[in-house]
Amino acid sequence: MAGSPKVFVARRIPEDGIEPILAACDARVWEDDLPPPRAALLEAIRGCDGVLTLLTDKVDDEFLDAAGAQLKVVSNYAVGFDNIDVPAVTRRGIPAGNTPGVLTETTADLAFALLMAAARRLPEGDRYVRAGNWKTWGPLLLLGPDVHGATIGIVGFGRIGQAMAKRARGFGMTVLYHDVHRADAAVEAEHDATFLPLEELLPRSDFVTLHVNLTDQTKGLMNAEKLGWMKPTAVLVNTSRGPVVDGAALATALKAGTIFAAGLDVTDPEPIPMDHPLVGLDNCLIVPHIASASRATRGKMAEMAAANLLAGVRGERLPTPVNPEVYDRA
Ligand code: GLV
Ligand code: GLV
């Protein structure tokens, strides 16, 4: 549309998001399944009023310079925004948006699925059957820990961490948590959750599940030392960000049996290279960053990302900005 805001959408997203964008903007959508290479991205965003980005698109000074001074909004199709240099966009007074809330329950569902599948060895069992190894009912075949009644240690007690607590209570689990901010007494009571420092939470937990944002403080949080605090029977679940776990240290621990199993939705890097030591381990379940991948949730994320993009190009306040401070200094 002539005179409409110019936007670039860095990948095909569900129709719920694409439709309103196409209706209101002069929009170009990157049609390839793979992300735009850096040079193509920088070229595509030149002169844009708004850009809809994914976790795979790094938004930094180079990106902002390439777009130009007219850029009014960066809308990230994700709740996490570690791909965005927030101080850089904020310095330029540009609001950035994310999609919080809508993916909380869907992500917790997947985290719980990983927890159960890693504990009860579902991928190994499936491989065993398909390899033709199933000869009889085996009293000692594919034994793992119980999920019900176990102790879960939730690291990062935000929306998704609390949604995990709700599921864990349904399985009669004891809920421990750690967070940089201790939750209100009412929230602790609602989830019957006990706050502990990591050095106490990790040795007590049968399951450790990570729900922190990736920051300088959480990068490498689960290193060799902290993995060493976990029980040899324990399972680690990561649906947060790959770099929160030291992958080499995790592979060493899984191989040595100092922890029992891991279920990972995120790795460092992504995709995980096929020669990474974790890929060769039977007790490491890995799925390709699909925690929010239900049809309904991806549709809602698309609606939210479109709403942020359209508000931004119209000069309105984003419904869900990650840097609301841009609005404080007008
Ligand atoms: C996915 O990882 C997200 O942050 O939405
Ligand atoms: C993300 O941090 C969430 O809890 O939704």
Side-chain angles (χ1 to χ4, degrees):
M1 254 191 287
S4 325
K6 184 175 166 189
V7 304
F8 179 65
V9 178
R11 212 86 62 80
R12 278 168 38 217
I13 61 171
E15 275 303 307
D16 318 63
I18 290 290
E19 264 173 28
I21 293 172
L22 292 182
C25 300
D26 169 12
R28 177 171 168 216
V29 180
W30 184 259
E31 292 290 342
D32 210 65
D33 285 337
L34 293 178
R38 187 70 178 170
L41 175 68
L42 297 182
E43 170 65 31
I45 63 179
R46 194 190 314 156
C48 279
D49 300 295
V51 184
L52 190 146
T53 50
L54 274 63
L55 293 171
T56 35
D57 308 310
K58 197 166 171 51
V59 178
D60 53 9
D61 277 310
E62 181 189 43
F63 176 107
L64 299 168
D65 287 339
Q70 77 298 325
L71 183 70
K72 294 188 191 65
V73 58
V74 175
S75 173
N76 217 36
Y77 182 71
V79 65
F81 46 88
D82 45 282
N83 58 308
I84 298 178
D85 179 345
V86 176
V89 287
T90 303
R91 262 197 309 275
R92 298 179 195 225
I94 298 172
N98 70 336
T99 65
V102 291
L103 46 62
T104 300
E105 300 293 333
T106 302
T107 299
D109 283 349
L110 192 280
F112 215 84
L114 285 176
L115 181 158
M116 296 195 76
R120 301 302 305 274
R121 305 172 67 173
L122 300 190
E124 278 178 87
D126 184 73
R127 287 193 289 270
Y128 182 87
V129 170
R130 285 167 203 277
N133 293 328
W134 188 11
K135 307 291 187 219
T136 183
W137 187 88
L140 301 177
L141 180 61
L142 289 166
L143 305 187
D146 269 321
V147 173
H148 72 272
T151 296
I152 188 169
I154 301 174
V155 180
F157 206 55
R159 287 172 296 237
I160 300 171
Q162 290 178 31
M164 277 303 274
K166 215 161 60 181
R167 285 157 180 72
R169 295 287 298 154
F171 279 78
M173 297 171 99
T174 299
V175 177
L176 310 177
Y177 81 94
H178 180 74
D179 197 286
V180 283
H181 306 289
R182 185 167 176 175
D184 294 341
V187 171
E188 291 187 352
E190 179 190 343
H191 298 292
D192 199 2
T194 304
F195 175 86
L196 285 178
L198 281 183
E199 52 270 40
E200 292 180 49
L201 177 143
L202 295 175
R204 288 201 209 173
S205 298
D206 301 305
F207 296 91
V208 174
T209 183
L210 306 177
H211 303 284
V212 295
N213 291 324
L214 177 61
T215 64
D216 289 341
Q217 287 69 46
T218 60
K219 191 170 185 310
L221 178 72
M222 292 305 292
N223 56 14
E225 182 189 18
K226 300 217 187 60
L227 290 165
W229 296 346
M230 289 174 62
K231 296 185 187 186
T233 48
V235 174
L236 177 71
V237 174
N238 189 12
T239 54
S240 64
R241 285 292 181 265
V244 174
V245 177
D246 177 339
L250 177 61
T252 302
L254 287 168
K255 207 171 192 162
T258 59
I259 71 172
F260 178 70
L264 309 177
D265 182 49
V266 290
T267 60
D268 181 26
E270 292 179 13
I272 192 166
M274 290 309 288
D275 61 358
H276 191 288
L278 287 172
V279 174
L281 295 176
D282 245 355
N283 56 347
C284 187
L285 158 55
I286 310 174
V287 295
H289 204 146
I290 55 171
S292 65
S294 75
R295 276 186 294 274
T297 288
R298 286 288 168 84
K300 288 186 209 148
M301 288 168 64
E303 276 175 35
M304 282 180 92
N308 278 325
L309 184 75
L310 295 180
V313 296
R314 290 172 181 147
E316 296 162 8
R317 188 186 172 97
L318 308 198
T320 51
V322 305
N323 56 346
E325 58 273 22
V326 293
Y327 298 113
D328 295 340
R329 44 186 209 179

